[in-house]
Amino acid sequence: MTIYDFTFPKLTGSDTLSLADYKNQVLLVVNTASKCGFTPQYEGLENLYKTYHNQGFSVLGFPSDSFLKQEFAEGEKTAEFCKLNYGVTFPLLKKSKMKGSEINPLFKYLLNEAGEKKITWNFNKFLINREGKVVHYYGSRTKPEKIERAIQTLLQDSVNA
């Protein structure tokens, strides 16, 4: 199994997103929440997405209410909140669990790949190279801006390869 074997429903509508569509891209996979102290990180995530998307980079957001129920019940409300407050245009997927037996299978896979035991809170981030390998795990306190240099390096490395 690889990261590219996963498919998830989008936050709104009936469409799905296949991670196979992101082969050869650098990814930042994040568990998000709309009512969290770290929610302003949406702005930094969107800035990274807009800055590097044309170079083969994407952010994938996975809303979750696993930590103190800090996400709206309805996907439409989450999508509206993210768009209106932070201008989010990167893909958001259907709300999912981030702990326990119902943990989103992608995050279970990413934790294993990163050598981590659990998602500790909202806005944990996994940086994935163009080969689909986790190169770094960042906790909630790491602001998106602090990841920019690593993203640039991964994008540059693939150009020079």
Side-chain angles (χ1 to χ4, degrees), residues 39-53:
T39 299
Q41 288 188 21
Y42 269 126
E43 184 176 354
L45 294 169
E46 180 63 19
N47 287 338
L48 290 173
Y49 179 71
K50 283 183 176 175
T51 300
Y52 298 104
H53 183 66

Side-chain angles (χ1 to χ4, degrees), residues 89-149:
T89 59
F90 60 82
L92 292 171
L93 291 305
K94 187 174 179 183
K95 184 169 68 172
S96 55
K97 300 292 182 192
M98 291 296 150
K99 61 183 181 178
S101 61
E102 296 178 346
I103 187 172
N104 177 311
L106 173 62
F107 282 81
K108 184 175 182 179
Y109 173 85
L110 294 173
L111 284 167
N112 186 57
E113 290 291 306
E116 296 291 330
K117 297 202 183 318
K118 65 181 182 176
I119 300 296
T120 56
W121 198 253
N122 303 311
F123 289 90
N124 283 203
K125 304 158 200 72
F126 294 89
L127 184 59
I128 299 159
N129 67 18
R130 290 188 193 264
E131 291 75 44
K133 302 294 182 194
V134 175
V135 295
H136 207 286
Y137 164 80
Y138 301 94
S140 304
R141 294 189 186 280
T142 302
K143 293 180 179 178
E145 300 78 33
K146 298 288 186 186
I147 303 171
E148 187 168 13
R149 172 76 68 206

